[in-house]
Amino acid sequence: MRKSIQYIVFLLYCLLILPILHAQEGLVRKQEFPGKSRNSGVGFAIKNYGYLIGGRTYPGYFNDFWRYSPDSDLWVQKADFPGEARWGAFCATSGSKAYYGLGYKNTINNYHYDFWKYDTDSDT
């Protein structure tokens, strides 16, 4: 019985404690996001960049568009999204293009039905 308890303790240590210790060693604080804090925005990655678009906060909605470079640890604000501000949108990527759309206008029952394409190569 004692062997079983030792085995269970060892197993719990390996499954619960070691990953936490390993993750803490690998965490490095990066540049803070310079825009306004938000929720329900959309993030996507293409090539070596991360992108953030839209979202909401009380009392408003965003249509701003940001690019993050992990190599230089720098946020750059891109041209605003030309459509209406939204939250809870959908985004998919293919190659150097992102497809962004749908989402909510302001309430859960007030939807957007449009879709947009962003080309990272031409920045349009």
Side-chain angles (χ1 to χ4, degrees):
M1 181 72 172
R2 182 171 163 90
K3 273 284 208 213
S4 296
I5 292 174
Q6 288 176 336
Y7 178 73
I8 291 171
V9 169
F10 175 74
L11 188 60
L12 287 174
Y13 177 79
C14 290
L15 293 174
L16 301 175
I17 305 300
L18 283 179
I20 292 170
L21 294 175
H22 179 69
Q24 288 175 345
E25 291 173 6
L27 294 177
V28 176
R29 187 176 182 109
K30 296 293 194 174
Q31 179 70 27
E32 289 186 15
F33 175 61
K36 292 183 179 178
S37 63
R38 69 202 58 212
N39 64 50
S40 303
V42 170
F44 62 94
I46 294 179
K47 299 182 182 174
N48 291 334
Y49 296 102
Y51 294 87
L52 174 67
I53 185 170
R56 70 178 178 164
T57 189
Y58 182 79
Y61 304 90
F62 299 106
N63 66 346
D64 55 351
F65 187 38
W66 296 84
R67 181 180 76 191
Y68 176 72
S69 170
D71 295 335
S72 61
D73 190 24
L74 184 66
W75 285 95
V76 174
Q77 187 167 12
K78 310 298 278 174
D80 283 351
F81 167 64
E84 271 189 85
R86 65 195 65 208
W87 63 278
F90 172 81
C91 185
T93 61
S94 179
S96 64
K97 294 174 180 52
Y99 302 90
Y100 174 77
L102 306 177
Y104 302 106
K105 291 183 180 181
N106 48 26
T107 63
I108 289 182
N109 295 322
N110 198 354
Y111 306 105
H112 284 287
Y113 295 96
D114 55 346
F115 239 88
W116 299 74
K117 177 176 75 174
Y118 174 67
D119 187 335
T120 60
D121 293 335
S122 64
D123 195 24
T124 56

